[in-house]
Each structure stands twice: as C-alpha cells, then as structure tokens.
Amino acid sequence: MTEPSKTDHLNAIPAIHADRVSRIVPLGERQLTILDDVSLTVARGETMAIVGASGSGKTTLLGLLAGLDRPDQGNVAWHGETISALSEEQLAIRRQGAIGFVFQSFQLLPALTALENVMLPLELAGARDAESRASAWLDRVGLGERVEHLPRQLSGGEQQRVAIARAFVADPKIVFADEPTGNLDTDTGAEIVELMFALNREQGTTLVLVTHDIELAARCNRVLRLARGKVVA
Amino acid sequence: MSVVPRLIVRFVRRELRTAEARILVLALAVAVASVGAVAMFSERVKAAFANQANVLLGADVMISGDRPLPESLIAEATARGLRTTLSTRFGSMVAAVRNDAVAPAGDTALSDVKAISGDYPLRGALEKRNAAGERVPFVASVHPGEVFVDERLAARLRVKAGDRIELGKLKPRVAQVFAEEPEVAGSFLSASPKVLMSDADVAASELLGPGSRATYRLQVAGDRAQEFAEAIKPRLGPGQRLETVRELRPEVRSTLERSEQFLGLAASFSVFLAVVAIVLALRRYLKREIDTATLFRTLGAGQRQTFLHFLGQFFVLALIACVLGVLLAFVAQALLAWAVRGLFASTLPPAGWLPLGKAFATGPILLLGFALPPLVALAATPPVRALRRELPAVNGGGVFAVLLGAIAVLAVVLMQSQDLQTGAIFVGGLIALVGLATGFAALLLWAIRRLVRHGRLGKLGGPQSWAYGLANLDRRRLSTALQIACLGLGVTTLIAVGFVRTDLFSAWQKSLPPDAPNRFLINIQPDQIESVRTLLPKTADGKPIALYPMVRGRLVAVNDKAVSPKDYADERAKRLVDREFNLSAAEALPPANKIVAGEYFAATDRGVMSIEDGIAATLGLKLGDRVTFDVAGEALEVRITSLRKVEWDSFRVNFFALLPEPTVAPLPKSYITAFHLPGSDSKTLPTIVNVAPNVLAIDVSEIMGRVRAIVDQVARALEFVFAFTLLAGLLTLYTAVVATQDERRYDTALIRTLGGTRRQIVASLIAEFSALGGAAGLLGVAGAIALTWTLATRILKIDFVASPSVWISGFALATGLTMLAGWLGTRSVLNTPPIQVLRE
Ligand SMILES: Nc1ncnc2c1ncn2[C@@H]1O[C@H](COP(=O)(O)OP(=O)(O)OP(=O)(O)O)[C@@H](O)[C@H]1O
Ligand SMILES: [Mg+2]
C-alpha cells in the first residue's frame, strides 16, 4: 500500500480515492486481470506519477481514475463522491469543467484551429468568454502567434502544448495526463513538464500523470509503480 | 449544459474545412439537384404536353353545360384577360338547296351543328384544302347568313362553296368547305358531319326550341386559363362540367399518363443515386465524427447533448446542401429546357415551386433517414475511447437503420411519383439489393479467404501482391460489403436507366406503329359489306380488313331495376346512360384487351357480356350483374362475365361492351371498320362514300399525329433527362470509390515505407479493384434485370425484352469504371512521399 502523502493533512477530503479497483477483460475463453486490486489516494493540489513497464496497466488505471471507464471491482471517488455508482450522464456532468485531459495518442480535432480546439471545453460548458480565455491560455503555453493554425500545421510539441492549454482552460480541479511528453524530445518535454508544474502551483490543480520519464516522476509529490496490473511501490 | 445553436453553427463552419464534410454536402447537393432538376423539368414537359393536347379541345379550357352558361363565367374569364368563344352544339338535319328549292330526299344528312361567336378556334386551326389538295390551316369567324361545312357533308350533299343549304328556317350560303376542325372532343364513333354557323343566326333558324337538346360551351384561351379553370371548378352548377382532353379522349389520356410515368421513373432513379452518394459520404463523415464525439464525451457532454449537437449539425449541413442543390437544380433544369428548346412549339411553361420544394425536402429526409441510427450510436461513443482509439467504433444500428433508410427512400420516391406501387418496387428493390449485396460480398470474401489464406493463389501461379490486394478486401469486410452494395446499386441504376430509355421506351413507341389504323368507317349496312370491302386496302399480310358488327342499345335496367340518368350523380355516368351504347361481338378476346376480372366468354355462350372496367366502375357495374339494353325497342338482357382493360392508345377499333356472336347475330346492326390510309390518299374515302352514301368515314390521322408527336417529344425529352441522370450516376460512382480511399491510401503508403515496389502495389490494387468492380458489376446487372423486368411488367405494362448487349456493356462499364476511379483515387499515393500520406 502507498504511504500517506506529505500534504495529506492539508485537505481532509482527498481529490481522488481509489478503493481496491480491478479491471478484468475477457481474453478468448479466459479472463485477463489487467488491473488487480489497486487502492490509492491523491490529495487536493497534489501531483502523482504512475510509472511502470509498457503494458503494466497505467493507461487502464488512469481511465478508471478519470471516470472514462468503469472498474469491474472496487470504487473510485472524487472529492469524496463515489463516481463508480453514477450513471454515464451524471458522470459526464461531474466531468464538465472539473476534469482536464492530456491523452497519450488522442489529441486535437484536425478540422479545428488551435484556438478552436482550446475553446471546445468552454463552449461545451456554454461559457460566453470562450475565445478570450482560450487565446489567453494559448499565450501562456507560448502559442499566441499560432491561434489560427490547424493541428497539422503544428509540430508534435506544439500540438501537445495546445492539448495542455485545452486541459487547463476550464480551470479544472484535476488534470489527467497520459504520457504528455512521450512523443517529444527531451528539451520540449522538459518545457511541457515545467508548464504543467507551474500550472499546478498557480491553480492548485491536482495532477495525475502517466510517464516513463524518471526525472518527471521524481518531481511529483508521489509515485505509484505498477507491474502487471499490481501496485508494487 | 445545454445544446447551443451557436455552437452547432460554429461547428458546421469549422467542419466545412474538411474534405469529408464537403463531400457529404456535395453528395447531398447533387442528389437534391438531380431530383429537383428532373422533377422540375418533367413538370414543365408535362405542362407542355397538356397544352399541346388541349389543342384537341380547340382551347385551353372548355366548360360545357346542358343549358346556356351564365354570363358571370364569361365575365370572369374576360376579367382574367382571356379570350373566349361561346358555342352551342346540337344535331340537325341539313339539306342541299338547288335552284332555290330544297333538294329531293337523299341530299339530306344528320349533322353536328355548332353555332359560334367570334374567331374560331382559339387554339389550333381549321383546315381547308388549297388548289393542290393540301391542307392549309386557317382561323375565321362565321358571318351571319353563312355557314362552314366539312368535306364529308359537302360530299354527302354535293355542295361546294357558294351553294346554299337548308338549316332550320334559314338558307345560308356555304362560305367555306373545311377539311378538319381541331375540336375532336367526343366519341368519334358517333361523330356526324359538321356544320359551323353564326351564333347570331340561331334564333332566326328556330332550330333550338324549348325542348331541344344542345350542349353549350365556353372555350377560353390565354395565359391564365388554368387559374380560371381552378377558380371556377368548385362553382360549377349541375349539368356543367370542365372538359379536359384527358377525360374526352382515352387515347390521349393514356399517352399522357404513360409519358408522366416515364418522367416519374427518371426522377425515382435519381433518388436511387442520391441514396448511394449519401450513404457513402455519410459513412466517411461519421467516421471522422467519432473523434469529435469522443472528445465531447470526455469533456463532459452527456449522451443527449452529444446527440442533439450532432443532429443539429447534420440539419445545418443538410440545409446548406439543400440550398446549394436547389440552386443547382434550377440551373440544371434551365439547361435541360434549353437543350430541348427546338422540340416544342412554344417555350416550355415555367415550373411551379412544388418540385423545388420537394427536392428541398429530399435532402433532410434522406440525410436524417440514413444518419439518425448512426447518430444515436455516435452519441453513445464510450469516453474511454479517448485512451484507446483502437476500440471498435459503435455499430450502425442494424435492422432499425435499414428500416429507417427504407422509409426515407419510400417517402422520397412517393413524393416524386405519387404512386405507391412504384415506390414499393423501388424500396423493395433497394432492400433486396442490399441483402443480395451482403450475401454476395460474403461469398466473395469466402472465396478470397480460401484462395489467399491457404496460399492457393500462389500455387496457381498468381503473384503474391494479388493475394495481398485480395486479402485487403477480406480485412475490411464490412467496408467491402458496403462498397459492393453501393457500387452495385449505382450500376443497377445506370443500366436500368439505359434500359428504360432504349428498350422499354421503344416498346411503347412500337405500340403505335406508323401503319396503325387512321380511318374509320361507320354505319356500313350488312348488304354493303361486300362492296365496301372491295374498296378497302388489304392488311399488310394481304388479308381483307375485318369489319365489326355494332349494335346500338340504350342501358335501361341493371339487375331488373330500371335505370335512368337521374340515378347517377356522376356527370359521365349520366351521359353514358343518356346515350346509346355500341355493343359489338368478338369470338375471342381482341388484341390490346386484357381480362382483369372473370373470364372471357366462350364462342358458344349466349346472353353474356364483357365490359371495359373503367366504364363498369363509372356505372357501378360488377361481375355477375345482369344488364338490360333496349335495342330498337326489344329488350336484350346479358350477364357480365368479365371485365376488360383496353389499351386505348392502340388506336384499334375498341368497344366498351363485347357480346358473343350468336347473341348479336339476330339484332339489327351496322358494321364498323378501321384501316390505314397513307396521308396522300384523298380518293378512297370519297369513293366509298359514293358507293355507300350512308357510310360515315372518319379521319383520325389528326389525333394520331398529335399523339405521335407527343410520344416523339417525350422520347427526346427523356433522352436529355436520362443523359442527365446518367451523368449524375457516373459522378456518384466515382464519389463512391473515392469516398472509400482513405484506408487504402494509408495502407498503400505503409507498404511503400516497408519497401513495396510500385509494381507490387499496382498489382495489388488491380486485384482489389477488379474483384470489387466485378462483384459490383455482376450485382448491378442482376439488380437491373430484376428492376426493369418489374417496372416493365408491373408499372409500364410493356413486354419485357431481354437485351444482353446492355447487360454485358453495363457489366464491363461497371468493372472498368471502378478500376479507373480506384486507380485515380489511389494513384497519387504512388507519387507522394509516404510520410505525407501517413500524416494526413
Ligand atoms: N479492452 C482491452 N481488452 C483486452 N486487453 C486490454 C484491454 N485494455 C487493455 N488491455 C491490456 O491490458 C494491458 C494494460 O494495458 P495499458 O494500456 O493499461 O498499458 P500501459 O501501461 O498504458 O502501456 P503503455 O506504456 O504501452 O501505454 C495490456 O496488456 C493491454 O493489452
Ligand atoms: Mg498507456
């Protein structure tokens, strides 16, 4: 089991709490347990890294914590509310503006400009000032000049920065990031990491990220190590 | 969170940057345009036909009444700026006057007298003969104290222009002998020779006493004639009726209806093509939208919100496509009208807004019909797909989707042709074809698996790249099945269009051969049969021309219950009961007749009758009814044992009522015949009338000429419509292949990076496309045969002619085009750096 974190006492109710969650998928005749009995707690404003070998279940765990997928056993709670029991619709409502994502392979909508991609969470929430807020965020991630560009006109690192702007634009309480630097060179990766930690400090955003990058993991408040679906450290 | 219309509009604007959305809009716009253009053009052509047929009325609109028509009608017509002619039509004996004395008996004839005011006729023209004996048109008004008589009466009375005739109390001068008048409305079997007199002379002639029977007519002509007709229709009193050429002349009616059917078919075919285009474009578009939906869901949009958003988005896209399509339709139909400008006497009348409205509705109906089920599925995209894109995308809705699509197509086809049977055939055909395509694709894939998997193709000497190409089809099973179905449907449509245009249409044209009978002889007495027959031309195969007995009888009772005109509400029924029926005999069912109920009587049966089903319906007669006729004072009772459909446009001698010969034999009767005379023959008829003065000779070549002209015009107008449909079809086929290129482009680029040579890739593509095209071609040909057979036998009622050449060329064309389009769509991959394709 994980040790209690250093900042745990600051917030009585944790931002995320997973209680013995398992994920089992059918594999032909057999059942394959891809996540086995994982429990964890992330306090508000805390940063946590999920590390482990490829195929160890990191993305699967992130999906469960983010409420994008449902555990076969166990519960996940956000700010004390058990989300595993909620309907798809209720869950969607909880996500609105409260959760941000940076995905491993799934990023921007190719038909939308950088600005429009960032505006999307705000527009969906019906915000009136979507455009100005989105362009402010693009400025912050250093893409103030590139607002009108389509994703295919941006480099991989630039696209990743747009994705980060999109994840943070609605002032979410928690941001989940699946290998945010995975496709980037070291320098660009470091830049992106700096950006995320800065945002974590400034906004008090809880940050959960999956990474292979040991340096990045070391900068987090906590590190959760997975091996074959189990927590090993 | 709610659905924000602004967001929808914004999204549409953004999406329109993508090729997928543009192709969808374009496909839909082309669909709307072709449906709209064909419908609009057909309506204009139909209106032009109606105008042309109305020449047979001598006017644009004609109102008849048993009593003088009220002044208000005329006032209303003049108020609309229409020209009017009033006429009174009645029968009267006419005699020749020689040396101021009425000629002795024999030089008299029962004539059809028409008293007219003003110029006559309003539409078309009278015809007289010039010195060379050719007919020349003229329009004139008859002055008081004068009459115009037709050639038949002139021959009968032996009078010429300048002579006088006795007409009631008057002895007017024959100012003109005419050959033909355009108004041929009314049964020509009872037509008498014609006299035109001035309206001003009617009172003085004392021909119309209080008890005399006459028909009063108002003929009007002008731009707003139809508007006038619509306006007064509901206000017509008892005994008044709006005459249309359709009701008056069965052969014209069936010609017009047939023309409309053909044009309607063309419109239905364009719906088919629209379906293919939309299904494929939609599929490609929806595939891209899965990503958007996933993102929506992860960002906290509920299922309902996601659904409504996409629904709204589709609606806006459809709207754009429809506006675009309607504009295109307008231009296209104008081009069509321009292309046929020489065909019609006057410019085509403008189309109403209805066809455009219908075309406009086609877009949303088809789009939503096919998009709704996948949209529901789209909205249910699991958000976890954001983490694993390879998760299978949601399915398309299965049976529900097919059903909804079918309903949408039915709705659109019904909107086009307003004929449930045609709609059912098209939708049934569509469903059957999709089923067939699925089965066919499964079979093809099974064969490919067997060939490829076990390496048999290699053993048979086929190159490995072929195996790869074929295996590609197997890997994209669903996509392959859909492509085969859509391509097959497109090919079906193209072949069916070509087939309808050439074979079915010429089958119809042939039903009115150039040597169809164009002269009728009526009132031949039994003792004149031999002498008349010697004067008649022989049939093409050298046989003497048939003469048919004709017995006149008035309908007096049905099932022992006496009937009179008062018993019928319907005007036509009243008139039928009022007049005498022509009863005839035929041992066997005559050609151009078809039994629709009961059985045709045997030659030895007595006291039975076969009746035309339309007239039976008008009079409320059923199979098994006993009907009593008054034949020259004697009662004749017969039982209805069969109902017949008659092809009136065959221009044969046709009768409403047919009896067995033994029943007719003892009755007083005359004979009738029809035969063909070339237009140049102006001697035969006068010779016959000289030998048998009581015989009435009627020339229907005029009507036939008009009907044939209509048929020819339909033929040429259809050429253009079908050429247009064909063009739209080819475009659709091309889009069909191109719309499925993405995966192929990606695969091909990948193979290139892995070191595939150009030759290998080309070979694999050829294998893939020829299998695809061949399958679609086979399916298309099978579908076309089934569809055209059904259309021919069920809707057009025309003999189906197998035409292997059309099928074979259709198959070759389908395969060739698929390969060509596939090649064009994929070729660029070979010339582009693979990385660029992979990044797309
Ligand atoms: N829906 C599924 N069906 C079957 N197997 C699955 C499914 N989802 C995940 N897996 C399997 O579970 C294991 C864990 O997958 P997961 O994507 O969580 O790994 P990961 O730690 O994120 O790996 P990577 O670092 O390569 O991204 C893998 O072996 C994967 O193949
Ligand atoms: Mg992963």
Side-chain angles (χ1 to χ4, degrees):
Chain A
M1 287 293 113
T2 50
E3 285 170 33
S5 94
K6 287 167 249 171
T7 51
D8 209 6
H9 62 278
L10 294 176
N11 297 296
I13 305 170
I16 307 167
H17 178 71
D19 185 22
R20 310 193 60 173
V21 293
S22 296
R23 185 80 173 90
I24 301 159
V25 295
L27 186 80
E29 304 277 282
R30 296 184 300 123
Q31 302 274 346
L32 181 70
T33 304
I34 55 176
L35 210 61
D36 193 6
D37 210 22
V38 175
S39 295
L40 62 90
T41 302
V42 186
R44 245 174 243 192
E46 202 177 22
T47 52
M48 181 178 83
I50 303 172
V51 296
S54 179
S56 56
K58 304 183 294 291
T59 299
T60 308
L61 177 60
L62 194 77
L64 293 176
L65 296 180
L68 296 177
D69 198 6
R70 287 169 184 283
D72 295 293
Q73 282 158 26
N75 285 314
V76 175
W78 289 343
H79 307 294
E81 184 185 23
T82 305
I83 59 162
S84 312
L86 297 176
S87 73
E88 269 308 317
E89 212 63 12
Q90 290 168 320
L91 200 56
I93 293 168
R94 299 297 184 284
R95 275 201 297 270
Q96 279 170 31
I99 309 287
F101 296 99
V102 182
F103 301 112
Q104 183 172 8
S105 60
F106 180 85
Q107 288 300 342
L108 308 173
L109 291 182
L112 273 53
T113 61
L115 181 67
E116 288 163 350
N117 265 294
V118 178
M119 280 163 71
L120 197 58
L122 299 172
E123 287 179 322
L124 277 173
R128 301 218 157 266
D129 52 354
E131 188 164 344
S132 56
R133 277 168 71 184
S135 79
W137 269 96
L138 278 173
D139 263 342
R140 259 181 103 168
V141 299
L143 290 173
E145 314 271 274
R146 315 294 300 270
V147 282
E148 288 307 323
H149 285 191
L150 292 170
R152 69 179 139 79
Q153 295 165 315
L154 299 173
S155 76
E158 286 162 345
Q159 289 186 32
Q160 199 74 347
R161 278 190 269 170
V162 175
I164 287 167
R166 186 181 63 195
F168 283 90
V169 72
D171 287 333
K173 298 207 174 57
I174 312 172
V175 168
F176 294 97
D178 194 355
E179 296 190 35
T181 58
N183 299 324
L184 305 176
D185 63 85
T186 330
D187 286 352
T188 318
E191 237 174 82
I192 302 267
V193 168
E194 281 318 317
L195 188 62
M196 286 204 298
F197 279 100
L199 294 173
N200 159 256
R201 279 193 306 275
E202 290 160 28
Q203 319 286 132
T205 316
T206 308
L207 199 58
V208 177
L209 45 89
V210 169
T211 186
H212 286 294
D213 183 345
I214 300 159
E215 269 178 54
L216 173 56
R219 296 189 55 178
C220 291
N221 300 131
R222 305 211 358 246
V223 177
L224 185 82
R225 185 170 297 277
L226 285 180
R228 272 183 259 126
K230 285 192 164 75
V231 179
V232 291
Chain B
M1 211 187 302
S2 60
V3 185
V4 194
R6 260 206 353 248
L7 184 60
I8 291 172
V9 173
R10 239 184 273 161
F11 247 89
V12 169
R13 223 185 44 227
R14 293 169 186 170
E15 303 253 321
L16 279 177
R17 291 177 198 140
T18 66
E20 287 87 345
R22 283 188 198 167
I23 286 184
L24 181 66
V25 167
L26 201 69
L28 202 57
V30 168
V32 168
S34 71
V35 168
V38 171
M40 255 178 121
F41 179 69
S42 311
E43 191 181 275
R44 296 181 68 179
V45 169
K46 277 190 230 166
F49 292 153
N51 284 355
Q52 242 157 347
N54 278 346
V55 170
L56 299 175
L57 286 174
D60 290 341
V61 169
M62 179 159 92
I63 297 151
S64 304
D66 302 339
R67 285 162 212 287
L69 296 166
E71 287 292 329
S72 59
L73 274 183
I74 305 159
E76 199 161 342
T78 356
R80 284 190 161 79
L82 301 171
R83 292 184 296 136
T84 63
T85 295
L86 273 174
S87 66
T88 314
R89 192 175 165 187
F90 49 91
S92 173
M93 288 305 286
V94 180
V97 176
R98 300 202 203 291
N99 308 323
D100 281 340
V102 177
D107 280 357
T108 63
L110 178 65
S111 304
D112 183 356
V113 182
K114 204 183 296 177
I116 51 178
S117 64
D119 281 352
Y120 185 85
L122 292 176
R123 285 281 181 248
L126 294 164
E127 283 180 351
K128 61 183 175 189
R129 287 195 197 271
N130 63 12
E134 292 157 350
R135 289 172 170 211
V136 287
F138 73 106
V139 172
S141 51
V142 185
H143 299 296
E146 291 180 349
V147 286
F148 292 2
V149 301
D150 72 355
E151 286 177 343
R152 285 176 291 167
L153 187 64
R156 181 82 58 86
L157 300 183
R158 288 179 283 129
V159 295
K160 54 187 190 311
D163 292 348
R164 288 183 181 274
I165 58 167
E166 186 191 50
L167 186 62
K169 298 272 185 223
L170 297 178
K171 292 193 178 60
R173 197 175 64 86
V174 176
Q176 183 72 57
V177 175
F178 62 91
E180 188 74 49
E181 70 152 337
E183 192 209 309
V184 288
S187 164
F188 51 64
L189 292 191
S190 59
S192 309
K194 290 174 178 173
V195 176
L196 295 177
M197 68 184 286
S198 166
D199 202 31
D201 285 344
V202 174
S205 73
E206 294 181 21
L207 282 171
L208 281 180
S212 36
R213 293 151 57 93
T215 306
Y216 298 85
R217 282 173 168 169
L218 171 64
Q219 290 169 303
V220 306
D223 290 340
R224 295 166 70 194
Q226 291 310 320
E227 181 192 318
F228 167 72
E230 292 304 319
I232 54 117
K233 207 180 207 165
R235 283 185 274 131
L236 291 177
Q240 295 175 355
R241 59 194 173 270
L242 193 65
E243 309 271 23
T244 66
V245 83
R246 284 177 186 241
E247 279 153 35
L248 291 171
R249 304 250 36 126
E251 61 276 50
V252 175
R253 183 189 62 211
S254 50
T255 302
L256 288 179
E257 281 173 0
R258 206 52 86 74
S259 317
E260 288 170 6
Q261 275 176 340
F262 271 108
L263 288 167
L265 277 185
S268 303
F269 281 131
S270 52
V271 173
F272 250 41
L273 291 173
V275 168
V276 176
I278 288 170
V279 166
L280 287 172
L282 194 63
R283 181 165 169 275
R284 189 164 172 228
Y285 178 77
L286 284 172
K287 220 163 153 187
R288 147 159 270 170
E289 290 304 87
I290 293 177
D291 283 356
T292 313
T294 308
L295 201 60
F296 266 53
R297 304 274 286 135
T298 57
L299 292 177
Q303 211 160 323
R304 207 182 78 96
Q305 190 197 1
T306 312
F307 174 71
L308 289 178
H309 173 86
F310 282 111
L311 192 68
Q313 202 172 308
F314 264 74
F315 206 76
V316 177
L317 281 176
L319 218 63
I320 294 171
C322 286
V323 171
L324 209 66
V326 164
L327 288 177
L328 272 174
F330 199 84
V331 174
Q333 63 86 28
L335 282 177
L336 280 174
W338 178 79
V340 300
R341 67 198 177 284
L343 284 182
F344 296 89
S346 53
T347 49
L348 290 178
W353 291 106
L354 193 67
L356 270 193
K358 283 180 180 174
F360 195 89
T362 303
I365 292 179
L366 283 183
L367 188 56
L368 293 182
F370 285 97
L372 219 46
L375 280 188
V376 172
L378 193 65
T381 307
V384 67
R385 206 181 153 271
L387 299 176
R388 284 179 204 293
R389 290 186 77 179
E390 63 287 351
L391 274 185
V394 280
N395 70 8
V399 178
F400 174 63
V402 172
L403 211 68
L404 200 71
I407 291 173
V409 174
L410 184 66
V412 172
V413 171
L414 283 187
M415 226 160 56
Q416 290 304 325
S417 64
Q418 281 150 6
D419 165 9
L420 196 64
Q421 204 189 0
T422 314
I425 287 178
F426 269 83
V427 172
L430 188 65
I431 292 178
L433 210 70
V434 169
L436 204 67
T438 316
F440 202 70
L443 198 74
L444 180 77
L445 294 178
W446 175 81
I448 287 175
R449 266 199 302 282
R450 294 209 45 144
L451 258 179
V452 176
R453 283 274 163 85
H454 307 297
R456 288 201 193 141
L457 192 67
K459 282 183 212 141
L460 291 174
Q464 189 51 39
S465 38
W466 282 21
Y468 179 78
L470 294 178
N472 264 344
L473 288 177
D474 188 34
R475 280 195 298 116
R476 296 188 287 262
R477 242 171 255 186
L478 202 76
S479 171
T480 302
L482 189 77
Q483 277 181 61
I484 292 179
C486 284
L487 287 173
L489 189 63
V491 174
T492 294
T493 314
L494 290 186
I495 298 180
V497 162
F499 187 70
V500 167
R501 195 190 68 70
T502 54
D503 297 52
L504 289 190
F505 197 80
S506 65
W508 177 41
Q509 263 179 320
K510 268 190 222 115
S511 69
L512 191 62
D515 60 349
N518 58 2
R519 305 291 199 284
F520 284 75
L521 293 181
I522 312 177
N523 202 26
I524 305 165
Q525 297 307 308
D527 58 351
Q528 293 170 324
I529 291 180
E530 284 318 309
S531 50
V532 168
R533 199 168 253 163
T534 56
L535 296 172
L536 291 178
K538 295 268 191 282
T539 61
D541 44 5
K543 294 210 193 81
I545 281 164
L547 275 73
Y548 307 90
M550 191 162 91
V551 174
R552 288 180 172 267
R554 194 179 292 277
L555 179 67
V556 289
V558 175
N559 294 330
D560 296 328
K561 207 173 140 282
V563 294
S564 74
K566 289 193 300 296
D567 300 329
Y568 295 91
D570 184 64
E571 282 295 331
R572 179 158 179 252
K574 272 188 203 299
R575 272 178 283 156
L576 283 169
V577 175
D578 200 25
R579 288 201 208 123
E580 286 185 314
F581 269 85
N582 295 316
L583 312 175
S584 188
E587 200 172 316
L589 185 66
N593 281 246
K594 215 174 98 193
I595 296 294
V596 290
E599 261 176 60
Y600 197 72
F601 47 72
T604 50
D605 285 353
R606 309 273 163 117
V608 292
M609 171 169 79
S610 172
I611 191 164
E612 196 252 352
D613 70 337
I615 205 169
T618 308
L619 292 173
L621 297 175
K622 304 175 302 297
L623 213 58
D625 279 351
R626 277 173 299 111
V627 181
T628 311
F629 292 100
D630 175 344
V631 179
E634 303 274 326
L636 167 71
E637 192 191 276
V638 289
R639 194 161 45 81
I640 299 176
T641 54
S642 64
L643 298 180
R644 278 174 299 130
K645 258 217 177 337
V646 177
E647 273 177 38
W648 294 104
D649 48 3
S650 68
F651 276 89
R652 292 167 203 275
V653 182
N654 279 310
F655 294 94
F656 286 121
L658 286 177
L659 281 56
E661 270 168 0
T663 307
V664 169
L667 301 171
K669 58 185 169 299
S670 62
Y671 285 80
I672 172 174
T673 188
F675 55 95
H676 179 83
L677 278 186
S680 57
D681 185 329
S682 58
K683 296 222 171 58
T684 307
L685 287 191
T687 319
I688 292 173
V689 175
N690 263 339
V691 172
N694 55 298
V695 169
L696 186 57
I698 296 163
D699 184 352
V700 294
S701 50
E702 176 74 5
I703 301 182
M704 290 189 60
R706 288 200 197 281
V707 169
R708 195 170 279 134
I710 290 178
V711 173
D712 286 346
Q713 282 166 341
V714 176
R716 270 181 284 171
L718 275 176
E719 295 258 335
F720 285 100
V721 172
F722 282 141
F724 181 79
T725 315
L726 217 62
L727 206 70
L730 289 179
L731 210 70
T732 309
L733 271 192
Y734 179 73
T735 346
V737 178
V738 172
T740 56
Q741 282 311 335
D742 309 348
E743 300 158 330
R744 213 167 271 123
R745 284 172 65 83
Y746 189 85
D747 287 3
T748 310
L750 205 62
I751 297 173
R752 290 261 287 164
T753 60
L754 298 178
T757 67
R758 194 186 175 86
R759 267 192 52 192
Q760 283 171 322
I761 292 174
V762 170
S764 117
L765 285 177
I766 287 178
E768 194 174 342
F769 281 119
S770 52
L772 207 61
L778 268 184
L779 186 74
V781 170
I785 294 174
L787 186 67
T788 47
W789 181 82
T790 321
L791 287 176
T793 53
R794 290 292 128 87
I795 299 293
L796 300 168
K797 311 252 163 35
I798 290 171
D799 287 339
F800 177 77
V801 211
S803 57
S805 63
V806 174
W807 302 337
I808 291 171
S809 47
F811 174 76
L813 196 76
T815 316
L817 275 177
T818 309
M819 289 177 69
L820 186 71
W823 170 242
L824 288 178
T826 324
R827 185 192 44 166
S828 62
V829 177
L830 294 175
N831 306 324
T832 332
I835 188 68
Q836 218 161 308
V837 179
L838 293 176
R839 274 185 72 166
E840 269 172 12

